[in-house]
Amino acid sequence: MPRPTRRSKYRFLAGRFYYTVRRYLQWHLGRSDWADMRGDSLEYTVFEHRTPLIRPLPNHAMWMQRNKIKNLEIATRALDGVILGPGQTLSFWRRIGRPTRRRGYVEGMVLQDGDVVPGIGGGLCQLSNLIYWMTLHTPLTVVERHRHSYDAFPDSDRTQPFGSGATCAYPYVDLQICNNTTESYQIRVHLIEASLVGQWRAEREPLHTYRVYEKDHWITHETWGGYVRHNVIHREVFNKEGTRVDDEYVTENHAIMMYQPLLDCARDPRQ
């Protein structure tokens, strides 16, 4: 890979400064009604999910995964119990704030340009992934989400469709969720034993349930030698009687694979 020039470095720094300032202006001068109030647990559980804190990942230092737990402990305290009222928006980074050493964050696993490297606050993508996945099982609206650019690990023990998470980088790569319903919702997140656990709760019993699934999936072998993984995510909507009432498009994903795919999968089925 060619070394970055001084001009490209300055261009990157200028772009980061621009998007950072734009984010701060949105948070402080924008028209959104940001969710900040906390409260006791609302009565009904809309959706609950948990993910393991430690994964058996070969060739990656375990100390970064252990440090990730510390980072998640700090971040979940900032989000747990926040109520998202009608018309309000929840911003992942606005609630958590900048992850710094002074605030107790430590070096954890960060995926940067296709490489796993240590970084302060590393591992918080596990929390944004969890919140995004849970939100897809509610009537709440995801107004900002950024897909992962790299598919880092094979599908060993995967229980969710590829690309069903949301990456994050303070402050400009954010996850924002808007409540366009007439009911209040509440985010609950905490660590228990070996898991990160989350819930969306509501003040009234939900009228619908959801099934998120992968509708299309293909892998392309690119001219530069690598492989790119693609898919389309949909969700089915069911009423209280269990009847499907809708099938909605959610998003599509395109990610550079950091591992060798099975050869019989490395093709575009649309051709």
Side-chain angles (χ1 to χ4, degrees):
M1 178 179 294
R3 296 180 62 182
T5 64
R6 179 176 297 182
R7 178 178 296 180
S8 65
K9 178 181 178 181
Y10 288 154
R11 184 178 300 166
F12 168 78
L13 293 175
R16 185 169 64 179
F17 175 78
Y18 168 77
Y19 286 109
T20 297
V21 170
R22 192 171 76 166
R23 178 66 73 200
Y24 288 150
L25 290 175
Q26 181 203 26
W27 285 342
H28 298 291
L29 300 178
R31 298 181 179 181
S32 297
D33 180 9
W34 301 108
D36 287 317
M37 185 181 72
R38 298 175 187 265
D40 296 333
S41 287
L42 298 182
E43 183 174 359
Y44 293 97
T45 299
V46 180
F47 190 77
E48 179 176 352
H49 190 67
R50 63 178 60 199
T51 56
L53 292 171
I54 300 293
R55 295 180 182 274
L57 304 178
N59 304 321
H60 295 299
M62 289 300 295
W63 68 265
M64 286 193 286
Q65 290 203 66
R66 290 191 291 269
N67 280 3
K68 173 190 68 175
I69 296 175
K70 174 65 174 178
N71 295 334
L72 288 171
E73 287 175 344
I74 300 171
T76 53
R77 288 199 295 268
L79 282 167
D80 186 43
V82 172
I83 293 178
L84 184 58
Q88 290 189 321
T89 300
L90 174 67
S91 165
F92 181 83
W93 281 126
R94 186 179 180 276
R95 282 298 311 169
I96 292 175
R98 182 188 294 275
T100 62
R101 290 186 186 274
R102 178 175 296 182
R103 299 182 60 215
Y105 287 95
V106 293
E107 288 190 331
M109 185 181 296
V110 175
L111 190 61
Q112 183 177 11
D113 297 329
D115 294 321
V116 175
V117 298
I120 299 300
L124 294 186
C125 277
Q126 182 171 351
L127 182 56
S128 61
N129 288 339
L130 175 77
I131 294 173
Y132 177 69
W133 174 251
M134 294 194 305
T135 303
L136 295 182
H137 294 81
T138 75
L140 299 172
T141 303
V142 177
V143 294
E144 180 178 340
R145 172 257 182 180
H146 301 266
R147 65 188 179 217
H148 291 271
S149 300
Y150 293 89
D151 182 23
F153 308 111
D155 286 356
S156 176
D157 299 322
R158 186 192 292 272
T159 59
Q160 301 168 207
F162 152 71
S164 55
T167 190
C168 61
Y170 185 89
Y172 39 85
V173 181
D174 199 8
L175 173 64
Q176 295 189 8
I177 300 159
C178 184
N179 183 359
N180 291 321
T181 77
T182 59
E183 311 294 337
S184 291
Y185 285 76
Q186 183 183 40
I187 184 76
R188 300 306 310 261
V189 283
H190 62 278
L191 277 59
I192 181 171
E193 297 178 351
S195 299
L196 171 65
V197 181
Q199 292 180 332
W200 272 116
R201 303 185 67 87
E203 57 186 345
R204 295 190 181 180
E205 186 177 5
L207 298 176
H208 298 95
T209 56
Y210 304 85
R211 185 182 78 88
V212 180
Y213 70 99
E214 181 180 74
K215 188 168 186 177
D216 294 303
H217 176 269
W218 67 99
I219 296 172
T220 54
H221 191 184
E222 303 298 321
T223 56
W224 46 268
Y227 294 88
V228 176
R229 188 173 184 177
H230 319 262
N231 76 349
V232 178
I233 302 293
H234 274 237
R235 70 173 184 176
E236 294 177 307
V237 186
F238 299 88
N239 62 20
K240 296 180 70 172
E241 288 72 38
T243 302
R244 191 179 76 167
V245 295
D246 205 354
D247 188 351
E248 304 171 340
Y249 166 85
V250 175
T251 190
E252 62 182 63
N253 298 284
H254 311 280
I256 298 173
M257 301 179 70
M258 296 174 60
Y259 56 92
Q260 188 75 12
L262 296 175
L263 294 180
D264 61 347
C265 295
R267 59 185 177 83
D268 186 343
R270 301 171 301 172
Q271 296 178 348

